[in-house]
Amino acid sequence: MRIVLLVDSSAAIAPQLLHIRAGLKAFLEALPGDHEIALISTGGQLRIRAQPTADREKVRAAAASFASDGGANAF
């Protein structure tokens, strides 16, 4: 299965950044199997933070460094 996580990274999420990172981490830890996961953010412009991959470490690293891009939501 391929899972695409679309996450708002606009200026509006800045106060909730720690909660969003924690939620992404919890989701990745709870997800069983070897599914492909992609992480895409939608603040300012759409940005692929992690290409679809079964390598959880790559997606975890992208989730851990997730930050607000500022601006309005591009989606």
Side-chain angles (χ1 to χ4, degrees):
M1 180 182 337
R2 180 173 285 172
I3 299 166
V4 177
L5 297 172
L6 288 173
V7 183
D8 184 358
S9 63
S10 67
I13 64 99
Q16 301 301 319
L17 191 54
L18 294 177
H19 298 293
I20 293 171
R21 283 186 192 144
L24 289 169
K25 180 181 177 184
F27 178 83
L28 294 171
E29 288 175 355
L31 190 64
D34 58 348
H35 307 296
E36 286 189 347
I37 304 168
L39 179 59
I40 300 173
S41 62
T42 63
Q45 63 183 12
L46 289 174
R47 185 163 70 142
I48 299 171
R49 295 177 180 257
Q51 295 281 342
T53 181
D55 182 349
R56 295 283 172 94
E57 273 311 307
K58 285 185 180 181
V59 182
R60 281 187 189 109
S65 65
F66 180 80
S68 173
D69 291 325
N73 190 310
F75 194 62

